[in-house]
């Protein structure tokens, strides 16, 4: 592996760690009910990252590829606008779920600064400033962990400690910029210059967000904090398996179909790897249950260890197939796959919740994950255009 490719993989891997750390901090240090409220607010962060990509980062990238300028001042200013808007939304939602004004303020700062940092990181990576991108991620991880330990030792509650540490880490790591800039809030000009890309990318993102973000938002008031915390804990536990594959995306996308598609040697290796990860998740939950360990919201998943294991496996397989489909499928086939996926992750959990409450919702998202993996695997096998 060349030095540049190794640095790229290292950058993606460190970013993956920083991306899941706030969720895992909440999962391990908050009660199930607290984690339910935390997860509801975290969905605002997920929406913010999605909007930042569709309104800011990817339209700018398309503009640069087409020969446009790489001007950082306008990009950074628009990123600051998006971060401030998402941070304000976060504070409103935090107050709505019953948090104090101070916790809502910390939550708004944490998520607003993280959204701005995400947009900045995209710029750093695309401009090959990988050293700064890695430094920002490492600083975020270090400050979040040390801040969490410090605040909890000072006697602050779990939710206050998590948001305070997150806010500190996000603010400080967001100061690692390509270069300093003078903000000029010309939102109308940005939309006017990038409207074609924004329209296309935003429509695609909202379709994906319908199942991943808006469906849980609909379920939260019906389920209550404890049940929603358990439901979202399942997503948190299964999310990192997808991040394992992300640093390998450039390599996986270019492999020949003979080995990488369903039935090929690499595909069988992925099936085996997913099975190992699934068995590991199942075994960990069995140990937690047998020893009666109280590890935050994670303990609430012990009774659902089988669907957790199935979701881990199917998420790994589904994400692998989706990576292949992303570049190899014709536009119409890719859109069809996304529509089917959105229907699955929207309808099945809602139907399960209606029929069997929490247990039904858990098995509904499990069924949706398995169906999604099958959809992308079949689509890549029959419609993919990569390799021979």
């Amino acid at each position: 592996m060349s030095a540049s490719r190794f640095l790229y993989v290292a950058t993606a891997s460190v970013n993956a760690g920083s991306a899941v750390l706030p969720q895992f901090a909440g999962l391990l240090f908050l009660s199930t009910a607290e984690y339910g409220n935390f997860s509801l607010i975290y969905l605002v962060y997920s929406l913010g990252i999605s909007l930042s990509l569709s309104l800011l980062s990817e339209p700018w990238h398309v503009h640069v590829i087409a020969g446009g300028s790489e001007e950082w001042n306008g990009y950074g200013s628009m990123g600051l606008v998006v971060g401030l808007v998402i941070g304000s939304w976060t504070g409103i939602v935090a107050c709505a779920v019953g948090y104090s004004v101070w916790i809502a303020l910390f939550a708004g700062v944490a998520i607003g600064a993280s959204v701005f940092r995400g947009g900045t990181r995209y710029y750093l990576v695309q401009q090959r400033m990988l050293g700064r991108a890695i430094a920002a991620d490492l600083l975020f991880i270090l400050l979040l962990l040390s801040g969490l330990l410090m605040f909890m030792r000072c006697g602050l509650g779990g939710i206050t400690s998590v948001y305070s540490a997150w806010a500190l880490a996000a603010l400080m790591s967001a100061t690692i910029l390509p270069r300093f800039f003078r903000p000029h809030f010309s939102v109308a000009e940005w939309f006017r210059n990038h409207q074609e890309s924004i329209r296309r990318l935003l429509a695609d993102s909202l379709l994906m967000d319908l199942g991943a973000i808006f469906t849980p938002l609909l379920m939260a008031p019906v389920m209550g904090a404890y049940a929603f915390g358990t439901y979202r804990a399942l997503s948190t536990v299964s999310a990192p398996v997808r991040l394992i594959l992300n640093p390998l995306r450039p390599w996986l996308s270019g492999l020949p179909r003979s080995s990488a598609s369903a039935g090929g040697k690499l595909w069988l290796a992925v099936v085996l790897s997913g099975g190992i990860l699934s068995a590991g998740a199942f075994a960990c939950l069995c140990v937690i249950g047998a020893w009666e360990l109280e590890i935050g919201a994670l303990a609430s998943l012990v009774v659902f260890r089988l669907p957790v294991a199935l979701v881990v496996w199917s998420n790994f397989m589904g994400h692998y197939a989706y990576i292949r489909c992303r570049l190899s499928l014709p536009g119409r086939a890719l859109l069809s796959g996304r529509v089917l996926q959105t229907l699955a992750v929207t309808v099945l959990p809602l139907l399960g919740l209606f029929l069997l409450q929490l247990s039904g919702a858990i098995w509904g998202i499990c069924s949706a994950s398995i169906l999604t993996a099958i959809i992308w695997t079949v689509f890549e096998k029959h419609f993919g255009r990569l390799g021979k």
Side-chain angles (χ1 to χ4, degrees), residues 22-42 99 103 148 152 156-163 166 226 229-230 233 294-300:
Q23 272 188 298
F24 268 87
L27 183 69
L28 299 177
F29 292 101
L30 302 179
S31 69
T32 305
E34 286 178 325
Y35 189 69
N37 289 330
F38 175 85
S39 296
L40 184 61
I41 294 173
Y42 194 88
Y99 286 154
I103 295 179
L148 186 60
M152 294 196 75
L156 296 180
I159 196 68
T160 305
S161 298
V162 170
Y163 278 125
W166 189 0
Y226 182 89
T230 303
E294 293 297 328
I295 309 179
L298 187 62
S300 66

Side-chain angles (χ1 to χ4, degrees), residues 127-150:
Q127 294 298 302
R128 302 294 187 268
M129 301 180 187
L130 300 184
R132 294 193 184 194
I134 291 178
D137 288 334
L138 289 176
L139 181 62
F140 179 85
I141 293 171
L142 176 63
L143 289 177
L144 181 57
L145 292 176
S146 59
L148 186 60
L149 178 62
M150 178 182 67

Side-chain angles (χ1 to χ4, degrees), residues 231-365:
Y231 179 79
R232 292 300 298 170
L234 170 59
S235 298
T236 302
V237 169
S238 61
V241 300
R242 296 192 297 270
L243 298 177
I244 294 172
L245 295 169
N246 281 343
L248 303 175
R249 287 182 79 133
W251 177 66
L252 293 174
S253 298
L255 292 173
R257 295 179 62 197
S258 57
S259 63
S261 296
K265 291 182 179 180
L266 178 63
W267 182 83
L268 292 174
V270 172
V271 171
L272 178 60
S273 300
I276 293 172
L277 293 169
S278 174
F282 186 86
C284 287
L285 290 174
C286 286
V287 169
I288 291 172
W291 291 358
E292 298 182 350
L293 302 176
E294 293 297 328
I295 309 179
L298 187 62
S300 66
L301 290 178
V302 170
V303 295
F304 297 111
R305 52 188 175 271
L306 178 56
V308 167
L310 291 174
V311 169
V312 167
W313 198 345
S314 56
N315 273 0
F316 190 76
M317 292 300 304
H319 194 56
Y320 166 77
Y322 175 72
I323 288 173
R324 295 277 303 168
C325 288
R326 177 82 173 172
L327 294 182
S328 68
L329 259 61
R332 183 172 296 180
L334 183 62
L335 178 61
S336 299
R338 284 180 174 171
V339 169
L340 290 174
Q341 178 185 3
T342 300
L343 288 173
V345 299
T346 301
V347 173
L348 293 178
L350 287 173
L351 181 62
L353 176 64
F354 176 76
L355 295 175
L356 297 171
Q357 299 182 331
L358 173 60
S359 179
I362 293 286
W363 280 104
I365 195 62

Side-chain angles (χ1 to χ4, degrees), residues 36-72:
N37 289 330
F38 175 85
S39 296
L40 184 61
I41 294 173
Y42 194 88
L43 290 172
V44 181
Y45 171 56
S46 299
L47 179 61
I49 292 296
S50 176
L51 290 176
S52 179
L53 285 170
S54 299
L55 299 177
L56 174 70
S57 301
E58 291 178 333
W60 166 81
H61 195 187
V62 171
H63 178 70
V64 171
I65 291 174
S69 65
E70 301 174 353
E71 193 247 335
W72 157 247

Side-chain angles (χ1 to χ4, degrees), residues 33-225:
E34 286 178 325
Y35 189 69
N37 289 330
F38 175 85
S39 296
L40 184 61
I41 294 173
Y42 194 88
L43 290 172
V44 181
Y45 171 56
S46 299
L47 179 61
I49 292 296
S50 176
L51 290 176
S52 179
L53 285 170
S54 299
L55 299 177
L56 174 70
S57 301
E58 291 178 333
W60 166 81
H61 195 187
V62 171
H63 178 70
V64 171
I65 291 174
S69 65
E70 301 174 353
E71 193 247 335
W72 157 247
N73 200 60
Y75 182 96
S77 299
M78 186 61 187
L80 190 58
V81 170
V82 175
L84 289 171
V85 170
I86 297 300
S88 300
W89 290 358
T90 302
I92 294 171
V93 174
C95 289
V97 301
Y99 286 154
S100 68
V101 173
W102 281 110
I103 295 179
L105 177 62
F106 286 135
V109 170
I111 290 178
S114 292
V115 170
F116 172 75
R117 190 179 85 87
T120 301
R121 189 188 181 283
Y122 190 102
Y123 187 98
L124 289 172
V125 171
Q126 292 302 328
Q127 294 298 302
R128 302 294 187 268
M129 301 180 187
L130 300 184
R132 294 193 184 194
I134 291 178
D137 288 334
L138 289 176
L139 181 62
F140 179 85
I141 293 171
L142 176 63
L143 289 177
L144 181 57
L145 292 176
S146 59
L148 186 60
L149 178 62
M150 178 182 67
F151 292 135
M152 294 196 75
R153 291 193 66 178
C154 289
L156 296 180
I159 196 68
T160 305
S161 298
V162 170
Y163 278 125
S164 299
W166 189 0
L168 172 66
L171 274 177
M172 295 305 296
S173 59
T175 61
I176 300 181
L177 304 169
R179 52 192 171 274
F180 290 107
F181 66 100
R182 292 183 178 180
H184 63 88
F185 302 107
S186 183
V187 177
E189 180 182 353
W190 181 271
F191 276 90
R192 185 166 56 251
N193 293 338
H194 302 280
Q195 58 181 336
E196 184 177 345
S197 296
I198 289 174
R199 189 183 301 113
R200 177 174 58 85
L201 292 166
L202 187 60
D204 181 65
S205 293
L206 290 177
L207 180 62
M208 299 298 291
D209 293 341
L210 179 63
I213 297 175
F214 294 113
T215 298
L217 284 174
L218 286 174
M219 298 169 71
V222 179
M223 299 181 78

